[in-house]
Amino acid sequence: MEAAAYLTKSYDPALVTLSVGVAMLAGYAALDLTDRVHAASRRQTGIWLAAGALILGSGIWSMHFIGMLALELPMTMRYAIGPTALSWLMAVVASAAALGLSCRAALERWTWLAGSLLMAVAIAGMHYTGMHAMPMAAEIVYQPAWVAFSLLVAFLLGSAAALGLSFALRDWQRRLRIVKKLGAAALMGGAIAGMHYAGMAAAHFPATMTDYSGGGVDAHWLAVLISSLSLVLLGSTLLAAAQDRRLEYRTANLVASLRDANDQLHYSSYHDELTDLANRRLLDERLEAAMERAERAGTEFTVFYIDLDGFKALNDQLGHRAGDEVLARVAQGMRGTMREGDTVARIGGDEFLIVADAVPDDEQGRSLASRVLAAIRQSTHEAPGLSASIGWARYPAHGQTAEALVAAADLAMYHAKKNGKNGAVGYRPDMAAAAEAEFGLQRELADALARQDIVVYYQPKFTAASRALSGAEALVRWRHPQQGLIPPDRFIPAAERSGQIEALEIHVLDTVCAQIRRWLDAGFDVPRISVNLSAGRVSDSGLPARVQQCLDSHGVPSRYLMFEITETVAIQGMLKAVDTLKQFARMGVDVALDDFGTGHSSLSYLEKLPIQQLKIDRSFIGALTDGTSQQSAIVRSIVALAHSLDLAVVAEGVETEDQLRYIVELECDEMQGFLFSQAVPADAFADFMRDASRAVAPSGAAPRYG
C-alpha cells in the first residue's frame, strides 16, 4: 500500500513526555506496592492487592491513553466508552497478576514465565483494545513486524523484567533499594512506553478516516481528565505507601527497641549491675551445667570463693562511690585471669565466686588462686590495705551439690582469713568439723546469754607512781557447764561473725553498770571501769543513746564508766568513730585507745580522735629488757607524744618487776598486768577497793587471783 493512502502521524511532545513520566511513575508505584504487599500482614495483604491492582492498572492504562492523546491526526479523535472501559479492566487484571505473584516467598521459573506471559497478553490487549475504542470509518492497518516487536517488549521488559526486579530488590538494603528501585522504575516505565509507541508505530490510519465524525468521548476532554486523575491517583498511591512505610519503619523500630529492651532485661537478670559479672542466678545455672558436664565426662572442676580484706574500712574512709570503683576494677582484673568457659560471679558486697573447669587438683588450684590474687593486687594498688582471701573446693571430692561445694569453698576462705588474710587455702575435711564446732559454739552462746552464764571479771589498773588502784578493765568470761570458764578469745570472734556481738556487749555493759551500782550502794570508792567496744559498735550511731539509757536505768554517773576501742577500729571507722566519741565526751564518758602502736597511720589521726587515754600494746611492754633497747625508745616516744597531747598512758601486760621498773622510769601513768593481778570476779575486785588506801607492792602484797 502506498504511503499516500495513510494519514500522516505526529505527536505532541508535551503529552509524550507526560506519558513516559506517568509510565515511570507507574513503574515506581508497582515496585513500591510490591514492597507493601510483601511487607503487609496476612490480614492486610488482600487490601493491598485489591488497591494496588486498581491503582497500578489505572496508572498503566492512563499512560496508554495519554500516549494515544499525544498522537496528532488530521481528524477529530473520539473514544467509545465500552472498549475503553475494557482496556482499563485488562490493565487492572495485569496488575493484579503481577502483585499476586510478588506475594510469593520465591519466584519459580515456570511461575515467572506463566505470569510474565499473562501480564504481557493483558498489557498488549489493553493497548490494542484501546486502539479499537476509536470509532473510525475504516479499519486501522497494523504492520505485523511492529506488532510482534511490541508484544516482545511487553513480555520481556514490561512483564518478565518487572517481576524479576520486584524479587531482586527485596534483598537490597534500604538505601541501596531506593536507588535501585528508581533505576528499575525508569527501565519499566521505558518498557511500558516503548511497548505503547511500538504498537503505535505498527498502526496505519487510512486516509478515508479524515472526515469521520462518529460518536464517543472527545479526545481533548479525555486527555485532561485522564492526565489529572492518573497523576492524582498515582501520587496518592505513593503518598499512602510512603505513610505506610513510615508507619512500618516506626513499628519495626519499636519492635527492635522492645527486643533490645527485652534482651537487656534478660541480660540484667543474669548479671551484676555494678561489675557486669554473673550474678547468683546465672552462677547457679553455670554450676549445675558444670556438674552435669563433669558427671558425664568423669572429670573435676574447682570453685573459688574470694572475699576482699579491708573493703569495709575503705568504704568507711573513702565512701561508697570509691568502693564501687574498686569493685569494678577487681572484677575486671579477675575476669582477665580466666579462660573462656570459666565463670566469674559477684555473690555479695565484696564476695566473688569463680567456677573454673579443668582445675582438677590442689596444685593447679593454688596456681590459679595465685594469679587471681596478683590480679586483685594489681587492680587495687591505689587502695592500700586492701587484699583478698581465697578458698577453693573441688567437685565432686569436696561437695556433690552446688550448695555443698560453695559452702566448702567458703570454709576454706574463712581459714585463709584466720591464717592472716591475703592468701589462698584449699578445702580440707577437718575444716567442716571446725565449722560445725563453731556453729555449735554460737548456738550455745545464745543459750548462755539467756541463762546468764556470761559473767564479767575485772582486771585492776594501778597508777605507776604510787601504785594505787586507779580503775579496772571489764573482761567477759563464759561459765560453761561442761568446759568451765572459757576465755573471750575463744568465743568473741565467733560472736562477731555470727552477729551476736551486739547482744553480748549490751549484756556486759548492763552487767558492769549494775555492779557499779551495787558497789556504790555498799559504800565503795569505785574507780572507773572500762568496757571494750567492737568495731561494729563504735560505728553504731545509736550507741551513745543506749549507753545513757543503761546509766540512767542503774543510776550510775557517767564518770564511773570508760570505753576502750582498738586503734585499728578507730582508724578504719574514722568518720563514724569521731562522731560517736564526741557524744561520749559530752556525756562525760572517757575513751581509751587500746592496742596502740599496732594499727596504721595512727599518729596522723591521733589528735583528731576525742580520746583521753592511750593503752600501749602488750607486745611493746613484753619486749622491754633494758632502758636502752629499741622497744624502750618506742615506748618512750609514745609516752612523750601522748603527754604532749594531754593524754594519759596505760601500760598493759606488765608481768615482771624489770618491766615495772622501766614503766615507772618511762613515766607511764597507769599499768595493769599479771604482775599485779589477773582478771578477777566482782567480789574479789571489791577486796582491791577495800585496800585501795594502801600502796600495792609488786612483791606480792596485793592478792593474786587466777
Side-chain angles (χ1 to χ4, degrees), residues 570-615:
I571 299 306
Q572 290 180 350
M574 180 69 181
L575 297 178
K576 293 182 179 179
V578 168
D579 183 62
T580 301
L581 300 184
K582 285 182 178 179
Q583 293 187 61
F584 285 152
R586 289 192 291 269
M587 292 167 55
V589 177
D590 286 348
V591 176
L593 190 62
D594 198 8
D595 300 332
F596 187 78
T598 61
H600 304 282
S601 305
S602 55
L603 297 182
S604 61
Y605 288 107
L606 191 57
E607 63 177 351
K608 300 177 183 178
L609 293 173
I611 58 176
Q612 291 75 40
Q613 192 178 88
L614 285 185
K615 296 189 72 174

Side-chain angles (χ1 to χ4, degrees), residues 252-315:
N253 289 336
L254 178 60
V255 170
S257 298
L258 291 175
R259 186 184 302 111
D260 291 343
N262 183 65
D263 291 343
Q264 182 62 37
L265 182 62
H266 182 268
Y267 185 86
S268 299
S269 67
Y270 282 94
H271 290 80
D272 176 62
E273 181 179 2
L274 174 62
T275 62
D276 202 35
L277 297 177
N279 60 14
R280 283 184 176 272
R281 183 179 181 182
L282 181 56
L283 174 66
D284 291 342
E285 294 186 6
R286 296 282 177 84
L287 270 174
E288 292 296 333
M291 288 189 293
E292 290 177 4
R293 287 195 305 271
E295 186 174 355
R296 287 196 304 268
T299 58
E300 298 185 356
F301 67 90
T302 303
V303 168
F304 295 81
Y305 201 113
I306 301 102
D307 183 83
L308 299 184
D309 306 321
F311 180 75
K312 185 179 184 303
L314 182 143
N315 252 354

Side-chain angles (χ1 to χ4, degrees), residues 127-176:
H127 173 79
Y128 289 106
T129 301
M131 294 285 289
H132 183 69
M134 293 187 297
M136 296 182 179
E139 293 293 332
I140 301 174
V141 178
Y142 292 97
Q143 289 188 355
W146 278 105
V147 171
F149 180 71
S150 69
L151 293 175
L152 185 63
V153 171
F155 177 76
L156 293 178
L157 298 179
S159 300
L163 283 176
L165 286 170
S166 68
F167 274 85
L169 289 173
R170 286 183 188 175
D171 298 329
W172 289 90
Q173 295 179 357
R174 182 168 176 253
R175 291 182 179 179
L176 291 176

Side-chain angles (χ1 to χ4, degrees), residues 426-442:
Y427 175 78
R428 299 188 310 273
D430 62 286
M431 294 178 180
E436 180 62 29
E438 178 169 319
F439 179 74
L441 190 69
Q442 293 169 353

Side-chain angles (χ1 to χ4, degrees), residues 22 25-26 28-30 32-33 48 50-63 66 88 91-92 95 224-242:
V22 170
L25 189 61
Y28 189 88
D32 208 52
L33 286 170
W48 274 109
L54 179 64
I55 294 168
L56 180 58
S58 299
I60 296 173
W61 178 80
S62 63
M63 173 271 147
I66 292 173
W88 171 81
V92 173
S95 300
V224 175
L225 178 62
I226 291 176
S227 300
S228 302
L229 289 178
S230 62
L231 291 175
V232 170
L233 195 59
L234 288 172
S236 300
T237 301
L238 293 174
L239 180 60

Side-chain angles (χ1 to χ4, degrees), residues 40-58:
S41 63
R42 179 173 299 181
R43 186 179 61 180
Q44 296 175 333
T45 300
I47 299 175
W48 274 109
L49 273 174
L54 179 64
I55 294 168
L56 180 58
S58 299

